[in-house]
Amino acid sequence: MFGDIKFVCVGGSPNRMRAFAQFMHRELGLAGDGEELADICAGTDRYAMYRVGPVLSISHGMGIPSISIMLHELIKLLHHARCRDVTIIRIGTSGGLGVEAGSVVITDTALDSSFKPRFEQAVLGEVVVRSTELDKDLAQELLACSKEIPDFPTLIGHTMCTYDFYEGQGRLDGALCSFSSEKKLEYLRRAYDAGVRNIEMESTAFAALCGLCGLRAAVVCVTLLDRLEGDQIRAPRALLGEFQRRPQRLIAAFIRKRLGVQ
Ligand code: R2B
Ligand code: URA
């Protein structure tokens, strides 16, 4: 059932990954309108999975524990199906750092909240440190694709991955405010100076696991706001919808190009 899969696209929300599968169905010119695509994992309520030609579209929920469960199960699936030459891409949302809202950031290296390119995994009570480098050639290939789409601000940069959306990302609009506005900006500016251009919650675990298992991996996230300007996402709903479709448009263009679809 899965032996000919060549692309796996993962993202947080089940609805967005269904929309991506339907979009991909149209972009690949497959028969039918894609409305009838079935969730392969329906009934488990753990994540949603859609298949469109050689593409799998899967949701991973929010945060490292959630994506890590899905990735282990996905990588076992790809192994048992004897898939070869698989490219895996996380398409998501993020908070930008010194970049215009709506920019698409292609991650070169995922950093932890101390700006280090590492993912710490506790194994049998010992902390194991794993590298979070991503495939540089794939990032460049994606950047080249983005240049062919009009009005599509895209850059390559470091992505900081945190365990929390509020205090963990230096926000002052959560239930706890444990630091000053000056300390927050000082932290975010240090992150910017370390090369961080966006902040999200899965990239270090994704990069580490995919890297160790030999999958060519990329992280492509749109920024919903500039964190140097505020904490709250204030863009109107319609604009946010358009922003969230940007990574999908880029990946669809990339897959079409790889498959030679005109
Ligand atoms: C981006 O958005 C989510 C938090 O709102 C999280 O899953 C992420 O990485
Ligand atoms: N996702 C995050 O993790 N942070 C943001 O600021 C926006 C989306």
Side-chain angles (χ1 to χ4, degrees):
M1 186 173 173
F2 294 104
D4 51 354
I5 292 295
K6 294 292 175 203
F7 303 95
V8 181
C9 300
V10 304
S13 133
N15 281 332
R16 188 154 35 82
M17 295 322 286
R18 178 181 163 79
F20 174 70
Q22 290 171 340
F23 177 54
M24 219 44 250
H25 187 99
R26 293 192 295 275
E27 289 285 296
L28 293 181
L30 300 177
D33 59 7
E35 287 301 317
E36 69 292 343
L37 281 177
D39 175 1
I40 299 168
C41 296
T44 74
D45 265 355
R46 282 153 59 81
Y47 36 81
M49 182 188 289
Y50 300 92
R51 189 210 161 114
V52 181
V55 182
L56 272 186
S57 176
I58 314 171
S59 66
H60 58 59
M62 286 189 279
I64 287 173
S66 181
I67 195 172
S68 138
I69 298 170
M70 186 281 284
L71 283 177
H72 275 278
E73 295 169 5
L74 166 71
I75 293 168
K76 287 195 291 181
L77 181 156
L78 297 174
H79 171 78
H80 290 298
R82 301 204 171 85
C83 296
R84 292 286 174 270
D85 305 319
V86 175
T87 298
I88 179 165
I89 304 175
R90 162 166 147 72
I91 49 177
T93 59
S94 61
L97 218 47
V99 298
E100 183 197 352
S103 303
V104 173
V105 179
I106 302 168
T107 308
D108 54 3
T109 305
L111 306 183
D112 68 10
S113 56
S114 310
F115 320 137
K116 298 251 169 45
R118 65 180 180 195
F119 174 59
E120 295 186 338
Q121 170 74 58
V123 180
L124 305 179
E126 303 287 334
V127 175
V128 178
V129 179
R130 293 173 170 165
S131 159
T132 53
E133 295 278 326
L134 286 152
D135 190 302
K136 298 277 186 296
D137 294 338
L138 179 57
Q140 288 297 339
E141 196 177 338
L142 288 164
L143 184 68
C145 271
S146 77
K147 294 196 195 306
E148 289 173 23
I149 309 175
D151 302 322
F152 205 84
T154 310
L155 60 141
I156 291 185
H158 297 341
T159 296
M160 180 165 80
C161 178
T162 68
Y163 286 93
D164 173 51
F165 182 84
Y166 290 98
E167 287 179 291
Q169 296 188 7
R171 278 193 159 80
L172 286 168
D173 63 341
L176 292 176
C177 300
S178 53
F179 44 81
S180 66
S181 169
E182 290 71 34
K183 287 274 180 209
K184 158 191 152 174
L185 280 175
E186 186 260 333
Y187 177 63
L188 293 179
R189 288 204 184 101
R190 270 201 295 127
Y192 183 89
D193 291 342
V196 173
R197 292 297 175 270
N198 67 338
I199 310 173
E200 47 77 270
M201 298 180 61
E202 292 85 14
S203 58
T204 50
F206 175 83
L209 204 45
C210 294
L212 283 172
C213 294
L215 288 171
R216 270 162 57 89
V219 177
V220 175
C221 290
V222 71
T223 61
L224 301 182
L225 77 169
D226 181 355
R227 288 301 316 288
L228 295 179
E229 287 172 4
D231 292 342
Q232 302 211 332
I233 298 164
R234 294 186 186 278
R237 191 179 253 275
L239 186 58
L240 284 177
E242 196 270 309
F243 284 174
Q244 292 191 35
R245 283 189 290 277
R246 289 184 184 182
Q248 303 186 21
R249 287 166 59 201
L250 176 56
I251 299 317
F254 162 79
I255 292 177
R256 281 172 56 133
K257 199 164 196 174
R258 279 275 190 95
L259 294 176
V261 175
Q262 295 306 313

